[in-house]
Amino acid sequence: MNSTPRKRPPTPNHFNQETEFMTARIIDGKALSKQLREGFKTRVGALVAQGVTPGLAVILVGDNPASRVYVGNKVKACEECGVRSFHIALPDDTVESEVLATIARLNADPAVHGILIQLPLPPHIDGRKVLEAISVHKDVDGFHLYNVGGLVVGNTIFPPCTPYGVQLLLDTTGTDVAGQNVVVVGASNIVGKPMALMLLQREATVTLCHAKTRDLAQHTILADILIVAAGKPGLIVPQMVKQGAIVIDVGINRLPDGKIVGDVDFEGVKEKASWITPVPGGVGPMTVTMLIENTLRSAERALRMRQTDDYQDWEAPLLKGA
Ligand code: NAP
């Protein structure tokens, strides 16, 4: 095997000055999550000392096995961080009005600081109506129109958890995203669109691609930072990636043999990228961690409001890169 290092062509990524070609460095979401969750324990302790135990309510309608796993992970993360969880499991045939009544009860409950509806909902329930019923003060998933609108104008109370986690993962590389070419592949309401808005807010030049994008590669090849959230295993191959790019793989796909993979050909692309997230162990752990972050933030806001009647604290400082 030839171990002579190849020359890395110059890239505009000033964070990586070495000239020798190397395999990408791994952005370790599991390690960052662990570190953040350790910090959460201190914040929970401070809240409890002031008489507030942060609480997260998770509503699951129906019996989707994947949803049950996701809810289980969220409840476990709450326990780990000292956040009280309220797991509300409703049967598949629950009528919409009952789901709305459950939300109204949780909106009024001072022990609950965050409310999350596990998606997808059964088809007879209007998901948008249900999401709009959650108090904006408890919308820790960030899916309420108020929070979505906040992203458009550059501040929001609760950034949606997955893009929020991606943003912190990017920060660990030491990259200033301002002026970078960012390409986001996937334009869903929960990942791609809010991701694009957050990075636009941080002055990146953002391209948003989706299933109808013609010649995806002509866009991805220009990306200094490539974020992929399409749910298509093997979608991004090395020829589509610029040398030295940062590659964040949000995709989670289960192959017929049971293996979990992302949307990026990890083995091939890591030979070209400067940084890359693995799947699993990249974005996945961060999503749940940011849910806890938002829940703590909500509890801290509630406490401040109680103490000072100050309703002006709308902005999420991490979003602004503070
Ligand atoms: P989604 O709602 O199905 O959206 C997929 C997006 O990808 C759509 O905008 C779609 O375009 C686009 N797309 C599909 N095929 C494409 C292609 N060949 N080329 C370019 N774009 C394509 O999915 P999602 O909820 O955003 O999730 C995306 C992936 O991320 C899934 O694998 C999901 O499991 C994963 N995920 C992971 C986390 C985590 O914590 N790591 C969290 C959420 C989601 P159109 O809009 O044109 O249909």
Side-chain angles (χ1 to χ4, degrees):
M1 212 169 84
N2 183 4
S3 60
T4 314
R6 284 172 281 155
K7 290 286 178 198
R8 184 196 285 276
T11 79
N13 296 327
H14 49 79
F15 57 87
N16 192 350
Q17 296 296 332
E18 68 263 54
T19 50
E20 300 301 320
F21 179 86
M22 295 188 306
T23 300
R25 280 168 280 183
I26 302 297
I27 307 175
D28 187 343
K30 217 166 151 187
L32 180 59
S33 271
K34 195 161 172 246
Q35 189 191 329
L36 289 167
R37 290 185 194 187
E38 279 307 311
F40 291 167
K41 291 178 190 165
T42 314
R43 285 166 67 188
V44 171
L47 282 162
V48 170
Q50 295 176 85
V52 176
T53 301
L56 173 68
V58 183
I59 303 171
L60 174 63
V61 187
D63 201 26
N64 180 320
S67 292
R68 262 192 288 129
V69 172
Y70 292 140
V71 167
N73 288 343
K74 288 163 189 173
V75 169
K76 200 167 139 229
C78 285
E79 278 166 16
E80 187 192 319
C81 300
V83 171
R84 189 187 296 162
S85 63
F86 305 87
H87 180 189
I88 296 132
L90 300 172
D92 196 51
D93 58 0
T94 305
V95 291
E96 189 179 278
S97 58
E98 198 179 329
V99 179
L100 294 173
T102 304
I103 293 171
R105 179 173 59 75
L106 296 168
N107 280 343
D109 185 343
V112 173
H113 301 96
I115 303 171
L116 177 151
I117 308 275
Q118 186 62 47
L119 299 175
L121 285 164
H124 66 278
I125 295 177
D126 180 346
R128 202 12 87 191
K129 200 164 163 188
V130 166
L131 291 176
E132 297 321 318
I134 296 173
S135 161
V136 291
H137 299 282
K138 300 190 179 187
D139 175 37
V140 289
D141 243 347
F143 294 159
H144 189 285
L145 279 183
Y146 185 93
N147 273 314
V148 176
L151 282 179
V152 175
V153 294
N155 62 17
T156 187
I157 312 176
F158 301 112
C161 300
T162 300
Y164 195 8
V166 169
Q167 187 173 275
L168 295 201
L169 288 171
L170 272 176
D171 287 345
T172 66
T173 67
T175 309
D176 179 4
V177 299
Q180 302 270 4
N181 285 343
V182 177
V183 176
V184 180
V185 180
S188 71
N189 289 340
I190 63 167
V191 188
K193 283 184 204 163
M195 186 79 255
L197 288 166
M198 283 181 186
L199 293 169
L200 186 62
Q201 178 62 19
R202 293 178 83 173
E203 300 176 313
T205 302
V206 182
T207 303
L208 187 54
C209 301
H210 46 78
K212 294 206 170 60
T213 299
R214 270 180 283 129
D215 191 1
L216 184 62
Q218 80 173 352
H219 298 279
T220 59
I221 198 73
L222 296 177
D224 301 316
I225 299 170
L226 177 61
I227 300 171
V228 192
K232 302 281 177 232
L235 179 65
I236 303 297
V237 292
Q239 304 89 288
M240 298 167 77
V241 177
K242 177 175 169 178
Q243 192 83 49
I246 300 177
V247 180
I248 308 273
D249 190 352
V250 182
I252 302 178
N253 308 289
R254 186 180 289 277
L255 298 181
D257 65 2
K259 197 176 168 211
I260 300 289
V261 297
D263 293 348
V264 175
D265 164 14
F266 179 83
E267 289 306 321
V269 171
K270 80 176 183 349
E271 300 303 325
K272 230 173 156 187
S274 58
W275 292 89
I276 191 167
T277 55
V279 177
V283 178
M286 288 298 287
T287 296
V288 181
T289 299
M290 301 329 289
L291 176 68
I292 305 293
E293 159 69 35
N294 278 347
T295 304
L296 294 188
R297 201 179 143 66
S298 178
E300 288 160 353
R301 279 180 86 238
L303 180 65
R304 266 199 310 280
M305 285 180 186
R306 207 173 70 193
Q307 289 169 339
T308 65
D309 280 341
D310 176 7
Y311 288 82
Q312 300 308 309
D313 171 36
W314 293 106
E315 294 166 41
L318 286 173
L319 243 196
K320 301 176 124 192

